[in-house]
Amino acid sequence: MCADSLQTSSVSKGCFVFKAKKGKPLNPCDYMQPDENDTDATWFRCNTYEALWDKVGEEVEKLQSEVNVQIFTDLIQFIKNAHFGYSSDDALPQQQRPRRVIQEVPTAAFVAGVNVPDHSATFTSVTNLLKDQVTPHVASLLSRDCNNIRALMSNLVSQLMGTDDILSDDEEELNVKKIPATMPVLKAWYQDTVKKRKAHRQDSPPPKLPKKSPRSKRRRSSCLLNKSYNEHPPIVLLFEDLESFNPRVLQDFILMCSQYLVELPLVFIFGIATSVAAIHRILPQDVSSLLSIEKFQAQPSTVYLSQLISKVLLTASNPFKLGHKVFQLLLDIFLFHDFSVINFVKGLQYSLMDHFFSNPLSLLCCNYGEGLNRVRTLNHEQLELFRQAASFRTYVEDQPPDQQRALLLDDKHLKKTLQELLKKLFDYHKAFYPVMESLNILTGHLPHHPLGKQQRELYSMCLEGNIWDCQGYKEAFALLRLTARVELMTILTSCIERLSCSDNPVQEARFQLETFHARLQTLTDGGHEPVEEEPEEDTAQESSNKTERITLRSLQQKLMESVKKTRKPTRYESLVEEVLEYLDSVFRKYLVCPQTLTLHEIFYYNSVADVRRHINASPRAAIQTALNNPFHYLQSEHPPADTEGILATMPDVCIAYKLHMECGRLINLYDWLQAFITVVTGNQDDDDSSLGNKKPDPQLQARFIRAVSELQFLGFIKATRKKTDHVSRLTWGGI
């Protein structure tokens, strides 16, 4: 649209809207890295990514609803019983109404944990459950919206009365902003809502739902009245971040609510990140005594993460896998930064998206049947991409010369080989996860946890290299040799149950473990007796030793030989050694490092640098890079050769930044302005006297002021009281 068509002449000032023309809808496939100009392959990769992420997203939502189901049930039951038998008794006089013995506000101290980024989703689930099962009157209060008591009351009234319960189908719309945000108004609104609910229940025929109209979203009163709520549903106030609230505001609000507890069935939910002691730290004793507090402890985020990894990543049904460095990076961000499962899921989503976006081999990252069909449709250019994979080149080098020639030149032979390699990868994943979990069952209870306590720790070790090469693996098997019979039988039972849930690749191991379990069960008390062995034929040697002369040296040798001799193992110890040797052979067969597999690039994502740059960014380094070398981010077609100097073509903030790097601790604003004008205009021939007498251009002066303000906002300079026309520098270097 041209600029002339946007001009509008008007006598008075006004705001005019120019709607843009509808352009071509965006297609995600257009942003995928092209696969040698093959649009079909790009379309398949994009659709596969969307299908996989939809599946992962459904599993994550299911886990999120199940992880705190018990604590949510207890919380809802507490709120239901908080005002059991409550009645407003509006028909009775004030003197004849029953008085409540306890004047304490029921309060649920919901300890959500230190994973603050996840609190919003948790409290949203709580709010939805309360509105579905208990009451429609739920208000969620945040500290940033409640700086004073007036703002808190305004936010509370707008949330409660904005649900349109106070509106009937015959009334006009109510402007909540014009209603005074006071407790008497809230009391009158609640009583009016109770009356309407009673009148609605007395009507036998349910009212017909009105047709959709422009006001249909604001008239939901009939829908809310149809729900099977209690006659006097409680008013639930949810304080999501209690520790961040102003203590004085919170104290005054609790005192007001305690005075209206007879007229309003109020219930508090305190969202706490640390511990219940935060309530007593914020509220004095005379205020906290007005609360009837009950603690509710949510599941730690580490438990949620372990379930997420076990049911989403450690399964053969999900073809996408994280490499060791990417998996460890996401774990480190979780354990050492925020404990946020939501951020971990976002990192997983980015890894999945980048894998399909940047890796053309991800075309085969799907289920086995679909992968075989896609292999048959690969063209020569796509097969060349598989030939260029590092793991496939290693595989070709280990083949005979005739096989090498066929793999590199014959496309039909390569397709057949790709199908065989895909089958090996899928069979490997089917056996890898149950065997790895069996190893975790064996070693997770050992002292000091040589192979980690959680499955995620063991999985990270398996991704890094062959697990049997770790020092912890040898220590774990040394400790397993000391396991008691009953404990070993319990461990083998758990391993058998885990292996019985898997497919055919590990059924042989399950049968063998069942045999060992039966042999352990048949051992009696005689199992701790030494194994009977044939006596050694050393009678002649003993008789000859009796005639030999005993010297000090010979006695020393006999003592050393006796020390070297070990006692004879018992039957139980021999059976334990046999069991551990077999388990060791199973682990060496099925727990091979995935990085050693051919064409592991199809399923495993290892671009840790991209994940670190996008997920765990360094804003200070990015800001300094942009100010020192703006052409790095501007991506100009003709960048200058000298990026270290100060050029007039640079943005104003970059020029001001480079000039301030040449100054000391205090910067004279006038000298800084003159240097800025000199660089921008390029007038370096004028002497200082003529430059000082010349009045600065207002436009250049405004540009300089804006650049200085941006540097102050970024934290490079600040105002100082030492000199009025100076600013203080906050960065190192050149001081």
Side-chain angles (χ1 to χ4, degrees):
M1 185 178 293
C2 61
D4 296 337
S5 61
L6 294 177
Q7 296 179 359
T8 303
S9 60
S10 177
V11 178
S12 60
K13 295 182 179 179
C15 180
F16 304 94
V17 178
F18 298 92
K19 295 184 178 180
K21 295 181 180 179
K22 293 184 178 181
K24 183 181 179 181
L26 298 178
N27 187 5
C29 301
D30 298 337
Y31 295 91
M32 306 289 285
Q33 182 173 338
D35 191 2
E36 296 295 333
N37 298 324
D38 192 342
T39 56
D40 292 338
T42 306
W43 183 83
F44 277 125
R45 284 162 50 199
C46 182
N47 283 5
T48 306
Y49 157 71
E50 293 178 350
L52 280 179
W53 179 245
D54 290 342
K55 181 180 178 181
V56 172
E58 292 177 359
E59 294 176 352
V60 170
E61 291 179 359
K62 183 179 178 181
L63 283 175
Q64 188 176 5
S65 61
E66 294 177 353
V67 66
N68 287 321
V69 61
Q70 184 60 41
I71 193 67
F72 287 168
T73 304
D74 297 340
L75 180 62
I76 290 174
Q77 191 64 33
F78 167 78
I79 296 175
K80 285 183 178 180
N81 299 332
H83 291 278
F84 182 76
Y86 173 84
S87 177
S88 58
D89 294 331
D90 298 332
L92 298 176
Q94 182 70 26
Q95 295 79 9
Q96 299 180 7
R97 294 181 186 179
R99 298 178 61 94
R100 300 188 55 153
V101 179
I102 301 176
Q103 298 293 331
E104 296 178 352
V105 182
T107 304
F110 189 87
V111 183
V114 296
N115 51 330
V116 179
D118 297 347
H119 288 184
S120 178
T122 302
F123 291 127
T124 301
S125 301
V126 172
T127 303
N128 295 333
L129 288 174
L130 290 175
K131 289 184 177 181
D132 290 340
Q133 304 180 19
V134 183
T135 175
H137 314 312
V138 182
S140 180
L141 304 176
L142 295 171
S143 60
R144 64 173 181 263
D145 301 328
C146 305
N147 297 325
N148 49 54
I149 191 66
R150 181 179 179 182
L152 190 150
M153 288 299 302
S154 177
N155 193 9
L156 173 63
V157 171
S158 63
Q159 288 192 44
L160 292 178
M161 302 179 67
T163 57
D164 298 331
D165 287 355
I166 55 176
L167 293 177
S168 64
D169 296 336
D170 301 331
E171 294 174 345
E172 295 294 333
E173 293 186 6
L174 180 64
N175 190 356
V176 181
K177 295 182 179 179
K178 295 182 180 180
I179 299 177
T182 58
M183 295 300 290
V185 171
L186 197 62
K187 170 189 170 183
W189 162 80
Y190 182 76
Q191 293 177 354
D192 186 60
T193 306
V194 171
K195 292 179 182 178
K196 291 179 181 179
R197 184 173 288 105
K198 290 181 179 179
H200 182 78
R201 289 183 178 180
Q202 292 176 359
D203 298 337
S204 54
K208 296 182 180 180
L209 293 177
K211 296 182 179 180
K212 288 187 177 181
S213 62
R215 295 184 181 180
S216 60
K217 293 184 179 180
R218 296 189 54 82
R219 299 205 173 179
R220 302 187 303 267
S221 57
S222 59
C223 298
L224 292 175
L225 293 174
N226 283 331
K227 288 192 175 182
S228 58
Y229 294 126
N230 190 13
E231 185 176 355
H232 295 85
I235 300 176
V236 182
L237 308 182
L238 176 59
F239 299 83
E240 292 192 10
D241 48 349
L242 182 72
E243 290 96 337
S244 301
F245 271 84
N246 188 345
R248 189 62 186 174
V249 174
L250 197 60
Q251 295 169 22
D252 294 342
F253 181 72
I254 293 174
L255 290 174
M256 284 194 309
C257 292
S258 64
Q259 299 298 323
Y260 284 86
L261 193 58
V262 178
E263 291 83 3
L264 295 173
L266 297 171
V267 180
F268 292 161
I269 299 179
F270 288 165
I272 304 172
T274 54
S275 64
V276 184
I279 299 177
H280 304 285
R281 185 174 63 252
I282 296 174
L283 304 177
Q285 193 274 335
D286 58 336
V287 178
S288 61
S289 61
L290 301 175
L291 304 176
S292 177
I293 304 174
E294 186 169 343
K295 179 183 176 182
F296 296 88
Q297 179 73 50
Q299 286 282 355
S301 57
T302 53
V303 176
Y304 181 19
L305 179 71
S306 299
Q307 296 181 6
L308 176 68
I309 293 176
S310 177
K311 296 183 179 181
V312 175
L313 294 181
L314 305 185
T315 173
S317 60
N318 182 15
F320 173 74
K321 313 295 177 185
L322 292 177
H324 169 256
K325 292 184 178 179
V326 178
F327 181 74
Q328 194 61 43
L329 174 64
L330 296 180
L331 273 183
D332 291 343
I333 294 175
F334 174 84
L335 295 174
F336 300 107
H337 287 79
D338 51 15
F339 281 95
S340 174
V341 181
I342 293 179
N343 291 343
F344 182 88
V345 173
K346 290 180 180 178
L348 175 63
Q349 182 181 10
Y350 174 79
S351 302
L352 179 64
M353 177 184 63
D354 190 56
H355 179 67
F356 283 92
F357 171 78
S358 59
N359 185 10
L361 303 185
S362 61
L363 175 66
L364 302 182
C365 186
C366 53
N367 57 58
Y368 179 63
E370 189 176 357
L372 292 181
N373 294 331
R374 293 184 181 183
V375 169
R376 299 187 186 98
T377 60
L378 295 178
N379 54 33
H380 177 73
E381 290 76 10
Q382 294 171 343
L383 292 175
E384 286 297 327
L385 296 176
F386 286 93
R387 290 188 176 104
Q388 296 172 8
S391 60
F392 187 78
R393 292 200 300 266
T394 305
Y395 171 79
V396 172
E397 292 174 357
D398 297 337
Q399 301 299 318
D402 55 342
Q403 290 290 329
Q404 293 181 4
R405 190 179 302 104
L407 290 172
L408 297 177
L409 300 177
D410 190 357
D411 291 347
K412 292 183 179 180
H413 182 73
L414 178 58
K415 289 182 180 181
K416 183 179 179 181
T417 305
L418 286 179
Q419 293 178 353
E420 296 175 357
L421 294 176
L422 271 182
K423 187 177 186 307
K424 290 182 180 179
L425 286 171
F426 278 96
D427 291 342
Y428 166 80
H429 288 142
K430 287 181 180 179
F432 177 84
Y433 297 111
V435 172
M436 186 199 66
E437 292 182 22
S438 301
L439 178 58
N440 180 253
I441 293 172
L442 279 172
T443 62
H445 68 286
L446 296 177
H448 305 294
H449 308 292
L451 290 180
K453 185 177 181 180
Q454 303 289 339
Q455 289 187 15
R456 61 174 183 263
E457 301 172 2
L458 179 60
Y459 181 59
S460 179
M461 295 180 184
C462 293
L463 290 177
E464 186 177 7
N466 293 328
I467 189 64
W468 55 84
D469 294 334
C470 301
Q471 183 64 27
Y473 182 84
K474 302 175 183 177
E475 296 177 3
F477 270 75
L479 293 173
L480 285 173
R481 291 185 175 90
L482 307 177
T483 307
R485 184 173 68 94
V486 178
E487 186 178 1
L488 182 59
M489 290 175 61
T490 305
I491 295 173
L492 290 181
T493 302
S494 301
C495 293
I496 292 170
E497 292 177 356
R498 181 62 189 92
L499 295 178
S500 61
C501 300
S502 58
D503 295 335
N504 293 326
V506 291
Q507 293 305 309
E508 181 181 354
R510 179 175 68 87
F511 295 148
Q512 188 64 34
L513 290 182
E514 289 177 350
T515 304
F516 286 131
H517 185 273
R519 291 175 60 184
L520 285 171
Q521 196 171 8
T522 55
L523 279 180
T524 58
D525 297 336
H528 294 283
E529 297 179 357
V531 180
E532 296 181 359
E533 297 180 358
E534 297 181 358
E536 298 179 359
E537 299 178 358
D538 53 354
T539 55
Q541 185 177 358
E542 291 179 357
S543 59
S544 61
N545 290 340
K546 292 180 180 179
T547 58
E548 290 181 359
R549 181 181 178 183
I550 298 177
T551 61
L552 183 61
R553 186 172 184 81
S554 61
L555 180 61
Q556 183 181 6
Q557 290 179 354
K558 289 181 179 181
L559 292 176
M560 293 177 63
E561 290 177 359
S562 63
V563 171
K564 291 181 179 179
K565 288 182 180 180
T566 58
R567 65 181 183 85
K568 297 178 181 179
T570 63
R571 295 179 179 177
Y572 171 72
E573 291 174 348
S574 301
L575 183 55
V576 169
E577 189 68 27
E578 186 178 354
V579 171
L580 294 181
E581 287 180 359
Y582 178 76
L583 288 175
D584 179 63
S585 64
V586 172
F587 297 148
R588 291 175 182 269
K589 179 180 179 181
Y590 294 109
L591 296 185
V592 181
C593 178
Q595 303 298 326
T596 61
L597 301 177
T598 306
L599 293 181
H600 66 272
E601 297 92 346
I602 297 175
F603 304 102
Y604 287 86
Y605 176 75
N606 296 291
S607 301
V608 65
D610 295 336
V611 179
R612 183 180 289 109
R613 183 169 63 252
H614 290 85
I615 302 299
N616 192 18
S618 300
R620 182 179 179 85
I623 290 173
Q624 290 185 340
T625 302
L627 294 177
N628 276 314
N629 185 14
F631 304 101
H632 175 74
Y633 290 101
L634 294 177
Q635 298 179 357
S636 71
E637 299 179 356
H638 304 287
D642 183 16
T643 58
E644 299 295 332
I646 306 177
L647 305 177
T649 56
M650 291 181 174
D652 295 342
V653 65
C654 299
I655 297 175
Y657 172 79
K658 292 204 169 193
L659 289 174
H660 110 284
M661 291 293 292
E662 300 176 356
C663 301
R665 187 173 59 88
L666 294 178
I667 307 175
N668 189 307
L669 286 174
Y670 183 78
D671 296 341
W672 197 4
L673 171 62
Q674 298 299 335
F676 177 82
I677 295 174
T678 302
V679 173
V680 172
T681 59
N683 294 331
Q684 299 180 358
D685 298 334
D686 298 341
D687 54 357
D688 296 339
S689 59
S690 61
L691 189 61
N693 296 330
K694 186 178 180 180
K695 188 177 180 180
D697 186 6
Q699 185 177 2
L700 294 178
Q701 190 174 1
R703 290 169 56 184
F704 172 76
I705 293 173
R706 184 177 63 179
V708 171
S709 301
E710 291 176 354
L711 290 178
Q712 184 178 4
F713 175 76
L714 293 173
F716 290 99
I717 60 173
K718 72 172 183 178
T720 179
R721 295 182 180 180
K722 294 183 178 180
K723 293 184 179 180
T724 56
D725 56 346
H726 285 64
V727 292
S728 178
R729 178 180 169 186
L730 301 177
T731 54
W732 296 96
I735 298 179

